Every structure is written in structure tokens, then in C-alpha cells.
Amino acid sequence: MTARKLPETHPTALIWEVGTAYEFFVSLHVLHEPDFFDLRPSWAAKIRSRIPTTERTFLEEVYYFLNFPLAWLYKLPEPKNAISVIYSLQQTPPAERGTALLSLNRGLKPESQSLLKIAEHRTWDKDDLAVLTPLMCKKNEAGRVHDEGALIKYLNWWARPEDFGNMLLSSLQAYQLAFFEQEEQRVGPVLQAGIEHARQLADHLTVSELISKLSQGVSYEEPIGKELILVPTFWMTPLVQLERISEDKQIFLFGARPSTMSAIPGELVPEGLLIALKALADPTRLKILNYLSKEELTPSELSRRLNLRAPTVVHHLKELRLAGLVNLTLRGQEKFYGARLEALDSTHIDLKRFLVNPPEAGKDTRS
């Protein structure tokens, strides 16, 4: 991990961070939401089936609410891999494992205080449920909403912090043995190459330009702050996550998987190419790109122009974003989209390269 101070015109200090520990949690999320990443649900289900039933059920019940413990991961000792994750949890008393991941990462959020209280008192009631339901059963980026029944299962775990901590450790160990131990060897070099590429870009780009380049078109109009930690991920490509982990420090996860490389081990056709071609094959998405090539628009503005329901437009924008075909600018709570026309050139190059000189199928037959 190293830091580089930008010139005075760019007061944000960039901190370079690479470690498969982040990928450990990202990949676990992807395996539970494969449809959101346009990956085969059958492949993800097969991977999950390798995890023993008890641990698999636990992960299915808690992963949605845990999300990525970014602040906790940032504080892990080097080399920040899956073993570091498991070792650090082993050194933490069972009753404190859940709260360690929660409080560091989300301590300022209202739901964290309620969950910490439940863990402390080892019980919850209808008032806790009434407070937490609107906070924790909201629609996530994958468009999925967990109902009150799922939240109740999660709260029942939180009311038993020792059991929760033991199952958390056991489940992550089982996941490492079932999939990630071998996967870590495959993605590690990609992450290292991704951070080196980002550092080269930073030599001649501003912070905002760097974020846009690494994210394939995402721009944040809010100030970044004093320090920005940049972390490459394999499975999140091309999506990103920006999260504040302290008053003056934010962490930025960006996709580093090459467009010509398949996400699924052993797959011949790169998902990035396939997703882009599928996105362009839809007439509604072509109409959206036509509008966005002329001006930036919000989903509601596109909805009116296309005479489509807002959820339908949001779905199409999600597919275009996953294909890297649109720019996304965040202005407060509003999202503005524009066409990312340079991605069309990249798609054409990748398609021609694949047809003329297709990659060899990987030797990994786990899928």
C-alpha cells in the first residue's frame, strides 16, 4: 500500500491498495446475485452447492445485509488475502466478529446502532423491526428487495452473537475451500496489473478523470475528500463502489478485469463482449443510446420520451451500464446518463479480435 500526493490543484491523496481479501467478499456477493452481473445463475448455483448445507444457508440469509466490510478490510494486515480475513476473524472473540465487520464500516448509519443494541442485549422486539425494515429492506442495486421475513432471520442471528460469529467464520472457511482458494490464484495477477495501470493513468489525469476512466464512465460531482483509496476488483467489473470509511477518507473499488478475459473460469467467450452485444441487440436500448448521444438525461426524462414505465427504463440503463456503453454522473441524489460512444469502438475491436484469434478455453473445468 503506497500513497502519492497530487499537485496542489488536486489536493486529494491517492492510496494504492491491492489484495484478494476484497475480492473474497465481492465474489461471494456475485455468486448470490449472478443475474445482476449477467452471469449464468446455474454456474453460480453449482459453485454454491459445494458449500456444506448449514454454511450455505447461513450465507444466503446474511450476505445481503452484510454487504462489503470495506473499512474492516482496509485495516487487515498484509498481504490482505483470504487467509488474512480468516485469521483476523479467528483472533476476534466469536461474539464480536459480526459487530467488528459492521461497526467499522457502517457505524454512522442508523441501522448499525440498532443492530449493535440487539447484539448487546441479545434480543429484539417489534419496535426494532419497525425501525430496521425501511432501512434494511430497501431495493438494492440488483433490484432485489428482501422482505421482512428475511430480516427476521437476520435479526435472530444478531440476537445470538456468539453463534453468529462462529457461523460467520465457519461459512467463510467453507467458501474459501469450495471456490476461492483456487480462484485467488487466477485473479491475483489481474488485480496487480489493474493497480499498475491505474497508477500510470494517475500520472496524467485529474482525480475525477481517473475515476471516470477506471469506472468506465462514472463521475461524482461531490468532493472526494483528502484521501482516496483505490482498490482493483476482478468480479465487480465494470461496476464500482465508492464509500466513505472515515471523515476524510473514501475507498473506491473499480473493475480491473480486461474486456477480453472471461469472468467464469474456463469460459471461451468473454462476458464483457457478450454483454455489450446483447445490450446493443435490443431496440429500446438503441433508442436510449440515440437520445443519450445528443444530451445527458435522467431516467425519468428518458421514461417520458420513450413512453415507458420508469422501472423499465432503469432496467435498460442498468444493462447499458453493465456493458460500459453509458456515462453516469451522480449529482446529489440525481443520476444523469450520457452515451459512452468510445465503448462502441472497443466492442468492435474486441469482437474482431475474438473472431480472428479467439482465446483458448481455460484449463479450469470447475464451472
Side-chain angles (χ1 to χ4, degrees):
M1 179 175 62
T2 57
R4 180 174 74 87
K5 188 71 176 178
L6 298 181
E8 285 302 313
T9 53
H10 305 294
T12 300
L14 299 183
I15 300 174
W16 308 102
E17 174 93 326
V18 61
T20 52
Y22 294 93
E23 203 68 43
F24 189 51
F25 284 91
V26 171
S27 62
L28 189 62
H29 181 77
V30 170
L31 286 174
H32 284 85
E33 301 278 3
D35 48 345
F36 178 67
F37 296 87
D38 271 355
L39 298 174
R40 296 199 310 272
S42 60
W43 169 81
K46 188 172 183 179
I47 297 298
R48 296 197 306 271
S49 71
R50 299 176 186 165
I51 303 172
T53 302
T54 301
E55 286 79 5
R56 182 172 70 247
T57 301
F58 172 81
L59 290 173
E60 290 170 350
E61 291 178 351
V62 306
Y63 89 93
Y64 174 92
F65 298 108
L66 284 178
N67 210 334
F68 308 141
L70 295 182
W72 183 82
L73 289 168
Y74 180 63
K75 293 176 181 292
L76 280 179
E78 299 292 343
K80 296 197 177 182
N81 54 19
I83 294 297
S84 300
V85 170
I86 291 171
Y87 176 79
S88 295
L89 287 175
Q90 287 173 331
Q91 303 310 302
T92 304
E96 299 174 14
R97 287 170 185 160
T99 54
L101 269 62
L102 170 77
S103 59
L104 284 171
N105 195 41
R106 307 172 68 185
L108 299 179
K109 294 189 177 182
E111 59 264 37
S112 296
Q113 302 305 319
S114 295
L115 291 172
L116 290 172
K117 185 187 73 171
I118 290 170
E120 179 183 358
H121 296 290
R122 289 169 166 71
T123 187
W124 60 273
D125 56 29
K126 62 180 181 180
D127 292 332
D128 295 314
L129 187 63
V131 170
L132 290 170
T133 296
L135 295 172
M136 301 186 69
C137 291
K138 298 181 293 186
K139 181 181 293 186
N140 68 358
E141 289 187 352
R144 181 170 298 178
V145 180
H146 269 43
D147 58 22
E148 193 173 88
L151 179 57
I152 287 173
K153 292 180 181 179
Y154 185 62
L155 296 185
N156 286 338
W157 277 114
W158 268 93
R160 296 177 289 137
E162 290 87 1
D163 291 341
F164 181 88
N166 285 325
M167 277 304 303
L168 177 65
L169 176 60
S170 176
S171 299
L172 293 179
Q173 288 175 316
Y175 174 61
Q176 185 204 17
L177 292 175
F179 176 69
F180 197 76
E181 186 174 34
Q182 189 171 353
E183 177 67 4
E184 196 168 30
Q185 301 174 25
R186 184 175 75 108
V187 305
V190 179
L191 302 182
Q192 190 61 52
I195 204 71
E196 293 303 323
H197 176 63
R199 295 181 71 160
Q200 293 172 11
L201 292 174
D203 287 336
H204 59 272
L205 296 178
T206 66
V207 174
S208 59
E209 290 170 343
L210 178 63
I211 288 176
S212 180
K213 185 72 173 179
L214 295 175
S215 64
Q216 298 186 37
V218 178
S219 300
Y220 299 90
E221 295 206 341
E222 295 294 325
I224 295 299
K226 294 182 180 179
E227 295 181 314
L228 180 66
I229 306 155
L230 296 102
V231 181
T233 73
F234 180 90
W235 283 96
M236 187 177 281
T237 309
L239 305 181
V240 298
Q241 180 160 338
L242 178 69
E243 184 169 317
R244 187 172 299 280
I245 61 173
S246 69
E247 184 177 349
D248 56 3
K249 187 173 295 184
Q250 293 205 71
I251 193 164
F252 178 64
L253 270 62
F254 65 93
R257 186 177 72 248
S259 61
T260 54
M261 184 176 186
S262 173
I264 297 177
E267 193 78 1
L268 180 63
V269 181
E271 285 84 7
L273 175 60
L274 186 60
I275 290 170
L277 294 176
K278 286 169 62 179
L280 291 169
D282 185 277
T284 299
R285 291 197 273 273
L286 288 177
K287 290 178 185 177
I288 290 175
L289 286 176
N290 179 265
Y291 280 124
L292 297 183
S293 67
K294 300 176 178 63
E295 60 181 320
E296 282 190 333
L297 294 170
T298 65
S300 58
E301 290 171 335
L302 279 168
S303 178
R304 289 192 292 271
R305 296 194 185 193
L306 294 164
N307 195 27
L308 292 173
R309 294 174 60 250
T312 301
V313 172
V314 169
H315 166 74
H316 286 301
L317 287 171
K318 173 254 178 183
E319 294 297 322
L320 290 169
R321 167 69 190 124
L322 196 60
L325 293 168
V326 291
N327 292 314
L328 168 61
T329 301
L330 303 173
R331 296 172 185 156
Q333 299 299 313
E334 197 74 82
K335 295 181 178 180
F336 289 82
Y337 289 85
R340 188 167 176 265
L341 297 179
E342 64 269 28
L344 296 175
D345 296 329
S346 298
T347 299
H348 177 261
I349 292 172
D350 289 344
L351 176 60
K352 186 174 182 180
R353 181 184 295 123
F354 175 80
L355 295 176
V356 173
N357 187 25
E360 294 184 7
K363 296 180 180 179
D364 193 324
T365 59
R366 292 174 297 160
S367 60

